[in-house]
Amino acid sequence: MKQVAQSGQAPNVWSVGDKIGIKLSGTVGALKLNDTYYAFIIGFNHNASIEGNNTIHFQFGKTSDGTDIAFCDNYYGKTGSSAAFRMNTTNTNTGGWKDSYMRNTICPELLNAMPSAWRNLIVSCTKYSDNTGGANNTLSYVTATQDKIFLLAEFEMLGTRHYANSAEQNFQKQYDYYKNGNSEMKYQHSSTGTARTWWLRSVSVKVDSYFCVIGAVGGYNTWSAYISYGFAPGFMVA
């Protein structure tokens, strides 16, 4: 896969939406994983001037039959400070994506749960986000991080800005998978008849304790940082 990506031929071999099974084994937050889940292609050469060319961007996840899922734990919908799929363990968005519990604890745990062959394929991706927080719509708050596992931003999902820092979209593009009209709704990985709210990495510029989410019935919203919601991370192969 890496050689195909680097050759620039990936779009001629695969299509946006194609999926591949990856065995996950380990504890991520409060969730123990030991099964195969499917990552799917959300874009080729996405936002290439910033994030690099000859790349394949993936997101978790899908089931084998193609149902869109987010990982959910037993704390789903609950507040708290314990390990779970929370943006932060206290109710704040101060520090934005860069300093979040999600980025610094949950995302690395997901990477460690992946097979070594996949860990060797995944490379750091330059992602711009509001990395200050505090409910201020300030251009200088939007800065770059290097991320092997990341959450999607509001604009990357929707192609429009609603609650995120208005400067984020200057450095982002909507992923082709969602631009093509595919649903943003995701279902609980262990109960695929149950739709779930899932986290985005963009902070809300209206409330200093909120991050952006995609709601259980679809559409954009924001919620308190210390609630556990669905985890649907992305990564890049190059």
Side-chain angles (χ1 to χ4, degrees):
M1 179 177 290
K2 191 178 188 72
Q3 290 80 3
V4 177
Q6 292 176 342
S7 73
Q9 293 302 306
N12 299 322
V13 177
W14 299 292
S15 299
V16 170
D18 284 355
K19 65 185 190 297
I20 185 168
I22 301 175
K23 176 66 179 293
L24 299 180
S25 181
T27 299
V28 183
L31 182 65
K32 291 184 178 180
L33 293 169
N34 187 25
D35 207 343
T36 296
Y37 299 94
Y38 289 78
F40 61 98
I41 297 171
I42 53 176
F44 298 103
N45 306 318
H46 174 76
N47 200 15
S49 63
I50 290 174
E51 301 179 29
N53 213 337
N54 297 336
T55 63
I56 311 171
H57 288 239
F58 290 87
Q59 187 182 16
F60 275 114
K62 288 182 181 287
T63 61
S64 59
D65 66 2
T67 301
D68 290 281
I69 58 170
F71 298 111
C72 300
D73 54 42
N74 289 335
Y75 296 98
Y76 177 89
K78 299 177 182 177
T79 63
S81 60
S82 58
F85 294 139
R86 315 180 194 282
M87 294 304 296
N88 282 312
T89 55
T90 58
N91 195 24
T92 181
N93 67 22
T94 298
W97 165 245
K98 181 179 180 181
D99 292 340
S100 68
Y101 172 78
M102 178 66 75
R103 177 176 182 263
N104 291 294
T105 299
I106 299 298
C107 289
E109 289 177 350
L110 187 281
L111 182 65
N112 289 336
M114 297 176 74
S116 59
W118 274 96
R119 294 199 301 271
N120 292 334
L121 283 175
I122 295 170
V123 299
S124 293
C125 183
T126 300
K127 287 293 186 181
Y128 277 83
S129 320
D130 185 323
N131 289 317
T132 299
N136 288 291
N137 192 36
T138 303
L139 187 151
S140 63
Y141 286 6
V142 177
T143 57
T145 55
Q146 298 295 316
D147 296 288
K148 287 194 171 182
I149 305 292
F150 51 84
L151 298 188
L152 274 60
E154 184 186 63
F155 190 82
E156 291 175 333
M157 269 295 310
L158 302 172
T160 55
R161 177 260 180 177
H162 300 279
Y163 294 109
N165 188 313
S166 61
E168 281 193 353
Q169 63 190 300
N170 297 339
F171 306 94
Q172 298 172 351
K173 291 185 182 297
Q174 186 181 21
Y175 273 106
D176 284 342
Y177 179 82
Y178 296 103
K179 188 176 182 180
N180 291 345
N182 289 293
S183 174
E184 68 267 18
M185 288 181 63
K186 300 197 183 299
Y187 297 82
Q188 183 169 320
H189 75 286
S190 57
S191 178
T192 55
T194 305
R196 292 302 196 187
T197 295
W198 55 283
W199 283 116
L200 304 175
R201 72 174 188 273
S202 301
V203 304
S204 167
V205 297
K206 296 184 181 295
V207 182
D208 64 7
S209 59
Y210 282 17
F211 280 80
C212 294
V213 298
I214 298 297
V217 295
Y220 55 90
N221 210 329
T222 61
W223 286 110
S224 299
Y226 69 160
I227 299 176
S228 183
Y229 280 136
F231 176 52
F235 60 90
M236 183 179 79
V237 171

